[in-house]
Amino acid sequence: MLRVQQLRKTFQHHEEAPAFSLTINELILERGQEMVIMGHSGAGKTTLFHLLAGIVAPDSGIITLNNTDIVALGEAQRDRFRAQHIGCIYQTFNLLAGFTALQNVLLAQHFAGRSDRNHRDRAHALLQRLGLQNKIHRYPHELSVGEQQRVAVARALANTPSLLLADEPTASVDANNAEQVINELRTLAQEHDTMLILITHDRYVAEMFPVITEFSSLTR
Amino acid sequence: MHISTIIFAFLRQRLFSSLLTALSVGAGVALASLLIILSIESEHTFSQKDTGYEIIIGAKGSPLQLILNTMYHIGTPTGNISLETWERVQKDRRVKSHLPMVFGDNVGGYKVIGTTPEFFTTFQYRKNRSVTVLAGRPFAGDHEAVLGAISAQNLKIKIGDSITLRHGLSAEEAGAHDHGKMIVVGILTPTNTALDRGVFMTMRTVWDIHYHEYQEQQEAAERALQAAEQDSSSAVAKAPKHLHSAAHTHHEENHNHHESHTIPKDFTTITSIAVKLASPVFFESFVRSINETTPAQAALPVLEMMGLFSIVGNINGALVAIAGLSIVIGAISIMTALYNSLNERKREIAIMRSLGARRATILLLILSEAGCIGILGSLSGVIIAHISAFLLRPILEQALGATLELQLWYLQPWLLAGATVILTLCIACVPAWKAYRTSVAENLLPR
């Protein structure tokens, strides 16, 4: 279960920009649930993504995932916790250029301290499931955009996370691929009983979900 | 996935720049290692105190020049001394053994040394080490030659072969002596000294050749003069052909029997005499008597070489310091390369951090990358230095006039390599720290 309460973070888009204050009163998500958060650009969606992922620490507030308060953890513990419990999918996929598709997935497992045979098998199975069985030894630049996206999905799910966070995951692909990606994400999340939070500014993407949460409603 | 796979992927991604950086470190290490090896070897070669040459007598001039020329065949002789000086040394009761030497020609670039049969008996090139013949026999008469081990090997000469002396001290100098033909009768056992690069014969042989050469030059000059006179007296008349053939016949008649004539005194000079005294107590008085009462000088090799090394040692130290500096520059180049690449890699680091890599892991990765470049550079540098030492050996031996006893490996360059890796790691802490401090959130988005 994910519980966010009274979360506050002051941030700037760039050094000379005025400071924004992001406040989330409450956000609760049960095991296996999904949520699409829609908001306009510059509203603080990516900051919320970073806060939930434990990449940045809030000024105040609570974020508990599976009864662990992420905010209370030290930086190194937070890194390890993120690796083991949270899967992240970024708008630009953020694959490591020097590593093959398989290595990108294995790297996520390595940093989570899960380099055993079972996890290696899982990495292979995920890539196969996403139709990349013949391309696991290809480098990102040797893959199409859609294939890169699927590697990013496989990597996010490599450690069987409790929470899957996706920030504008369809921004780099066309409408057909976008739908396919969203469907795959939802299916995979449901199969593993994983909570899914998808952040987007795209109403077309948001409308693929039964319920849309407006970003402004969270910050009210 | 093992951490080494991650490091390897990092290196592979920047293979060219990693190799270039390793090369810059390797060049510094190779240079420093080579200088260290050569410094060790040259000091070992030149500072041998058990040399058989206790005192060297030669023409006045630089004592160091006299010693370098006599013992190492480096440079030119200081001049010549008369037979009287040698006779005086022979009569001196303080002298235990003596060996006169005449330098001044070469066979294929290897110096010709005219000496006496004592070369094979009383002379010792090192303490209790006499010159022995490996094959054949010592020279017995004139126009017989014995070759040093290296001269024989490099000139591909065997016993019974005929060799021709060339005028001058090096192979490049002017032509062969018409009368410089002689038979090789023996090859010396290797001594690991400049003797290995010599061609030995009796002093009389060397004198004889020089005298004949002189005679020929005089005859040629006379012929040229006669021709010039005839040309000027009669424009129509041509130089009589018989003059040349007559001169030639005369020449052959004259020189077919090498030992049948006397050589004028001007041609019977000596370059140097290696002397061993009956007791060290005579050193001072003997040296003084030579220096003050003869036109020659007596020089002490041990003393002169110590003096030389106090100068060369400083230069060596300076060279090694410069080479050391090039290692520091190499290490700094690793730091610069890594530091510059960090700007490109901030996103990579941020991605890894977002995947759960700890700051310490990033620090370790950057240091490992620097360490790998440092190790690769240092290893290749030391190996290049060892190979270069062997490749440069013939040139160095020729230049130093001594046989370098190179070993397959030296400890010092490896210590230097180790120190270089440590230095690299220390300097790489700067970019590693920068990587450690990389903000994840700021660098996750593409620039």
Side-chain angles (χ1 to χ4, degrees), chain B residues 280-338:
Chain B
V281 296
F282 302 136
F283 261 86
E284 207 179 324
S285 67
F286 181 79
V287 169
R288 206 164 164 181
S289 70
I290 295 291
N291 286 345
E292 288 177 3
T293 62
T294 71
Q297 67 160 327
L300 301 170
V302 172
L303 205 71
E304 293 299 328
M305 293 314 285
M306 266 168 60
L308 174 68
F309 259 90
S310 66
I311 302 164
V312 174
N314 287 339
I315 299 168
N316 255 343
L319 285 175
V320 171
I322 292 168
L325 204 65
S326 69
I327 292 177
V328 174
I329 293 167
I332 291 173
S333 76
I334 293 188
M335 183 198 79
T336 316
L338 286 175

Side-chain angles (χ1 to χ4, degrees), chain A residues 36-42 45 91 167-171 198-206:
Chain A
V36 60
I37 301 173
M38 221 200 84
H40 60 84
S41 294
K45 298 192 301 294
Q91 180 181 337
D167 183 16
E168 306 280 9
T170 56
L198 191 142
I199 300 172
T200 185
H201 72 282
D202 190 340
R203 185 155 293 278
Y204 173 75
V205 171

Side-chain angles (χ1 to χ4, degrees), chain B residues 22 64 113 150 172 182 195 228 233 320 322 338 356 361 379:
Chain B
L64 186 60
I113 298 141
I150 293 173
E172 289 79 28
M182 62 194 68
L195 295 177
S233 62
V320 171
I322 292 168
L338 286 175
T361 310
L379 273 181

Side-chain angles (χ1 to χ4, degrees), chain A residues 49-50 53-57 73-84 86 88 90 94 96 99 107-108 110-112 155 159, chain B residues 6 10 345-366 432-444:
Chain A
F49 179 96
H50 287 157
I55 289 171
V56 291
L73 295 176
E75 191 186 54
Q77 288 169 302
R78 215 162 58 219
D79 289 339
R80 178 53 68 100
F81 185 84
R82 174 171 60 251
Q84 292 176 341
I86 304 169
C88 299
Y90 306 88
N94 284 348
L96 287 160
F99 298 80
L107 203 62
H110 172 81
F111 289 133
R155 187 178 66 180
N159 296 312
Chain B
I6 304 173
F10 261 3
R345 298 161 80 168
K346 274 183 178 170
R347 186 148 172 257
E348 245 172 38
I349 293 166
I351 295 169
M352 285 203 279
R353 289 286 318 282
S354 76
L355 290 176
R358 296 178 194 181
R359 285 188 194 271
T361 310
I362 302 297
L363 189 85
L364 179 75
L365 282 174
I366 301 292
W433 179 249
K434 197 183 171 195
Y436 181 89
R437 306 268 303 154
T438 300
S439 153
V440 182
E442 281 173 24
N443 294 292
L444 267 180

Side-chain angles (χ1 to χ4, degrees), chain B residues 419-433:
Chain B
T420 307
V421 175
I422 293 169
L423 178 73
T424 305
L425 288 176
C426 291
I427 291 182
C429 282
V430 178
W433 179 249

Side-chain angles (χ1 to χ4, degrees), chain A:
Chain A
M1 181 189 179
L2 172 73
R3 178 187 292 273
V4 178
Q5 282 177 316
Q6 302 303 318
L7 192 68
R8 196 161 183 278
K9 176 72 183 174
T10 307
F11 69 96
Q12 282 174 289
H13 287 299
H14 52 89
E15 274 179 22
E16 285 157 22
F20 274 91
S21 188
L22 172 71
T23 308
I24 306 285
N25 293 325
E26 192 177 59
L27 186 160
I28 294 169
L29 206 63
E30 295 292 342
R31 195 179 164 91
Q33 276 189 333
E34 57 183 23
M35 175 187 267
V36 60
I37 301 173
M38 221 200 84
H40 60 84
S41 294
K45 298 192 301 294
T46 300
T47 303
L48 174 62
F49 179 96
H50 287 157
L51 285 166
L52 293 178
I55 289 171
V56 291
D59 300 335
S60 60
I62 296 167
I63 305 170
T64 35
L65 178 64
N66 300 341
N67 301 320
T68 302
D69 184 1
I70 301 173
V71 180
L73 295 176
E75 191 186 54
Q77 288 169 302
R78 215 162 58 219
D79 289 339
R80 178 53 68 100
F81 185 84
R82 174 171 60 251
Q84 292 176 341
H85 301 282
I86 304 169
C88 299
I89 300 166
Y90 306 88
Q91 180 181 337
T92 50
F93 320 139
N94 284 348
L95 297 179
L96 287 160
F99 298 80
T100 62
L102 178 63
Q103 282 175 333
N104 263 283
V105 181
L106 292 177
L107 203 62
Q109 293 179 334
H110 172 81
F111 289 133
R114 292 168 176 169
S115 292
D116 55 277
R117 193 178 175 81
N118 284 344
H119 280 85
R120 275 205 304 278
D121 290 346
R122 178 174 165 76
H124 279 275
L126 271 168
L127 287 166
Q128 193 169 3
R129 168 76 197 274
L130 289 159
L132 294 165
Q133 61 273 23
N134 297 324
K135 297 184 175 176
I136 59 170
H137 298 302
R138 299 242 177 121
Y139 288 92
H141 70 271
E142 298 169 331
L143 299 170
S144 70
V145 175
E147 286 165 344
Q148 287 178 34
Q149 173 126 45
R150 278 178 272 156
V151 176
V153 171
R155 187 178 66 180
L157 291 165
N159 296 312
T160 339
S162 314
L163 173 65
L164 185 60
L165 292 168
D167 183 16
E168 306 280 9
T170 56
S172 305
V173 294
D174 57 45
N176 284 341
N177 269 312
E179 197 169 337
Q180 196 186 338
V181 167
I182 299 298
N183 287 338
E184 272 171 352
L185 267 179
R186 291 180 73 187
T187 312
L188 282 163
Q190 277 162 15
E191 276 176 18
H192 296 93
D193 224 4
T194 300
M195 291 174 270
L196 169 67
I197 295 181
L198 191 142
I199 300 172
T200 185
H201 72 282
D202 190 340
R203 185 155 293 278
Y204 173 75
V205 171
E207 282 173 352
M208 290 179 205
F209 288 78
V211 183
I212 299 173
T213 307
E214 292 290 337
F215 187 71
S216 54
S217 71
L218 291 173
T219 56
R220 216 169 278 143

